[in-house]
Amino acid sequence: MTTTQATSATPDPAPSARRRKLRFPSAFTVLVAVTLVVWALTFVIPAGRYDTKDGSPIPGTYHSVELATGFWSRLKDLFLAPVNGLYGVTDTQSGLTAPGGSGDFFGAAGVFLFVLAVGAFITVTLRTGALTSGVAHLAERLKGHRSLLLVVLLALFSLGGTTYGMAEETLGFYALMIPLMLKLGYDRMTGASVIMVGAGVGTLASTVNPFATGVASDSAGIGTGDGIVLRLLMWAVLTALAAAYLVRYANRVHKDPSRSLVAPMPEDDELRSQGSSTTPLTLRQRIVLTVFAATFLFMIFAVIPWADLNVTFLPTLGWYFPELAALFIVAAVVVGLIAGLGEKGTADAIVAGAGDFIGAALIIMLARGVTVIMNNASVTDTILDSLNNAVSGTSSGIFTVLMFLVNIPLAFLVPSSSGHAALAMPILAPLADFAGVSRALVVTAYQSASGWVNLITPTSAVVMGGLALAKVRYDRYLRFMAPLMGILLAAVAVFLVLGATLG
């Protein structure tokens, strides 16, 4: 018999111990729920289609159609949705998507493999220690120039966000950044924001980020390089705005520590007094960093349609997911061998990296499966026609801003940028054809909304995990971010209107 059972005077802690915290469901659960809801709605939403030309719907040609498939065929579509999302093939005669057969490949197998290849490359590079050592070395070199250091570090994390969607990889940098910022006379909020805001703003203004721009462009039926000029300009300006905002806050804290938004921790003084543990970069680490940067630079070069930009002295390679997946797999092997990981170490790192990113790849597969259900039931064009009626008559600038606002709640429900893209783009991208704007602009609006929300969303393991490592309260972080969120919202709207105006 326990003591709580022996006396009624002792309160029973069991109810509070058993009480579960309310948690927002994962992206997998959300997409499964979306799949079931969409499948049920296909029995309610009228079937219809647009006539198409070169794969794009022709305005004013929407018409109702009679479905030849019955309940059991629709149930089979639900059962096979994830499989169709990976390697479904659309029959050119019936327009139905199913595994096997002949026709146009519809599944996301190319994107799926590409995501795993990027994951392998990033994990191999992280295991070499070159990235962490490189940032630490740079911080040590610039620590006498506090404001410049903040700008450079935030820009580096932003570069990671805009090129490969740097997210979970940031969690390894908090142990380096927090002590460094404390030594410089700043606070924990500054250390957390250098990482989180830097990578987040970079992802918001993605240029060739495979998990946002790449997946969205594929789902929209355009190349990853389409619209890159506007996105490059956005990245430069938004990164500068975020850096200026952070420097202003950090300098205010440095002058008057009482203005910090976070309370000092008992161990802060000990962290400030610790000596630097930075060691010089080895030759191998320098070569690894060079290969890492060169791989992403070559990816950018390979996907940009130089001919469309009237750049005649550079060849347009027109690379897409198959070539890019091969690029990252080869680069992962090269980095592993250069760093001395050996055959087994390199192979293990590649397998582990693909495993780390399998979640993102599966989310893309599930989201593409939802699109297959809608297409097989012929309700995609019906939804598209309803959205077109809702936004018809608006100017191109207002249209792009509306696309941004529509994607904000979707980004909260599906915090995975790749899942969000695969789910929304097949419906939203064709609206650009009706509005007379580039589909690339709808991609930009989507990824801006996704990145904006994911700067603060409590459903993000990157945000909540980073704050936990930095020991910064979430409500304090929201207070810090509120003005910046407004600035970024206004800036994105200006860029979208500018992009629509200039065409």
Side-chain angles (χ1 to χ4, degrees):
M1 180 179 291
T2 64
T3 55
T4 54
Q5 290 173 318
T7 174
S8 60
T10 305
D12 182 7
S16 60
R18 290 193 299 264
R19 188 179 299 123
R20 293 183 178 180
K21 293 182 179 180
L22 291 176
R23 295 181 60 188
F24 194 84
S26 68
F28 287 102
T29 304
V30 170
L31 283 174
V32 169
V34 168
T35 302
L36 294 172
V37 170
V38 167
W39 181 78
L41 288 175
T42 60
F43 292 93
V44 179
I45 300 173
R49 285 178 185 161
Y50 279 101
D51 295 335
T52 60
K53 181 180 180 181
D54 298 328
S56 299
I58 301 174
T61 62
Y62 174 79
H63 56 279
S64 299
V65 297
E66 290 291 335
L67 287 181
T69 55
F71 174 81
W72 293 110
S73 295
R74 306 269 280 276
L75 186 61
K76 185 179 180 180
D77 283 342
L78 174 64
F79 178 68
L80 291 177
V83 178
N84 277 323
L86 184 61
Y87 59 88
V89 176
T90 302
D91 185 88
T92 53
Q93 298 297 323
S94 66
L96 299 177
T97 300
S102 60
D104 298 325
F105 188 77
F106 188 83
V111 186
F112 189 95
L113 177 60
F114 175 62
V115 168
L116 299 186
V118 173
F121 175 65
I122 292 173
T123 299
V124 171
T125 306
L126 287 172
R127 286 202 177 181
T128 68
L131 278 178
T132 306
S133 296
V135 172
H137 184 69
L138 179 64
E140 183 67 20
R141 292 280 298 271
L142 294 177
K143 70 178 182 179
H145 306 277
R146 291 192 305 267
S147 295
L148 177 61
L149 176 61
L150 290 176
V151 173
V152 171
L153 288 176
L154 186 140
L156 282 176
F157 286 110
S158 181
L159 186 63
T162 194
T163 52
Y164 69 92
M166 191 178 196
E168 286 82 0
E169 301 84 6
T170 61
L171 298 178
F173 288 93
Y174 285 89
L176 167 68
M177 286 297 143
I178 299 302
L180 175 63
M181 293 302 143
L182 291 175
K183 290 176 189 177
L184 294 175
Y186 298 136
D187 63 354
R188 289 175 174 270
M189 183 70 77
T190 304
S193 300
V194 163
I195 302 171
M196 201 175 302
V197 174
V201 167
T203 304
L204 186 159
S206 293
T207 49
V208 290
N209 173 6
F211 305 103
T213 311
V215 175
S217 298
D218 176 66
S219 299
I222 60 176
T224 304
D226 293 344
I228 195 170
V229 174
L230 177 67
R231 294 197 294 267
L232 279 169
L233 183 60
M234 278 184 66
W235 174 73
V237 172
L238 296 186
T239 299
L241 288 173
Y245 181 84
L246 178 60
V247 168
R248 179 176 177 271
Y249 170 82
N251 287 340
R252 188 174 64 197
V253 170
H254 186 268
K255 292 177 182 178
D256 183 3
S258 66
R259 303 189 69 180
S260 171
L261 291 176
V262 293
M265 302 296 295
E267 64 268 27
D268 286 358
D269 289 337
E270 180 182 351
L271 290 174
R272 289 190 183 95
S273 63
Q274 287 178 355
S276 174
S277 59
T278 305
T279 57
L281 287 169
T282 65
L283 177 60
R284 282 186 172 183
Q285 287 176 329
R286 293 178 185 274
I287 297 175
V288 165
L289 289 175
T290 301
V291 173
F292 182 81
T295 301
F296 280 101
L297 287 174
F298 186 79
M299 179 187 74
I300 295 171
F301 168 78
V303 302
I304 292 178
W306 297 106
D308 294 345
L309 300 176
N310 296 319
V311 179
T312 57
F313 61 89
L314 291 175
T316 298
L317 298 183
W319 278 24
Y320 205 48
F321 288 112
E323 296 87 355
L324 295 177
L327 170 67
F328 281 104
I329 291 173
V330 171
V333 174
V334 170
V335 165
L337 296 179
I338 290 174
L341 296 181
E343 178 272 331
K344 186 177 187 306
T346 301
D348 289 346
I350 290 174
V351 172
D356 290 342
F357 282 71
I358 189 68
L362 290 173
I363 285 172
I364 295 170
M365 178 188 75
L366 289 174
R368 186 66 64 88
V370 176
T371 303
V372 172
I373 290 176
M374 293 192 296
N375 288 347
N376 282 358
S378 296
V379 300
T380 303
D381 285 0
T382 302
I383 298 172
L384 177 60
D385 185 60
S386 298
L387 289 173
N388 178 51
N389 292 334
V391 300
S392 62
T394 62
S395 66
S396 57
I398 294 176
F399 168 80
T400 55
V401 174
L402 286 175
M403 289 297 97
F404 173 69
L405 296 176
V406 163
N407 276 288
I408 287 177
L410 288 176
F412 181 80
L413 290 172
V414 187
S416 165
S417 58
S418 49
H420 178 183
L423 187 65
M425 282 301 100
I427 294 177
L428 297 181
L431 284 174
D433 303 333
F434 300 154
V437 301
S438 168
R439 289 192 176 195
L441 204 55
V442 176
V443 170
T444 303
Y446 134 75
Q447 67 181 33
S448 299
S450 177
W452 187 80
V453 170
N454 283 325
L455 276 168
I456 60 171
T457 179
T459 62
S460 169
V462 175
V463 172
M464 304 310 289
L467 293 178
L469 289 171
K471 297 184 179 179
V472 173
R473 280 170 36 189
Y474 180 62
D475 62 314
R476 299 285 89 189
Y477 176 70
L478 288 181
R479 182 175 173 183
F480 169 80
M481 288 296 296
L484 180 59
M485 295 296 287
I487 293 170
L488 294 175
L489 181 68
V492 168
V494 170
F495 273 107
L496 291 176
V497 171
L498 178 65
T501 303
L502 298 179

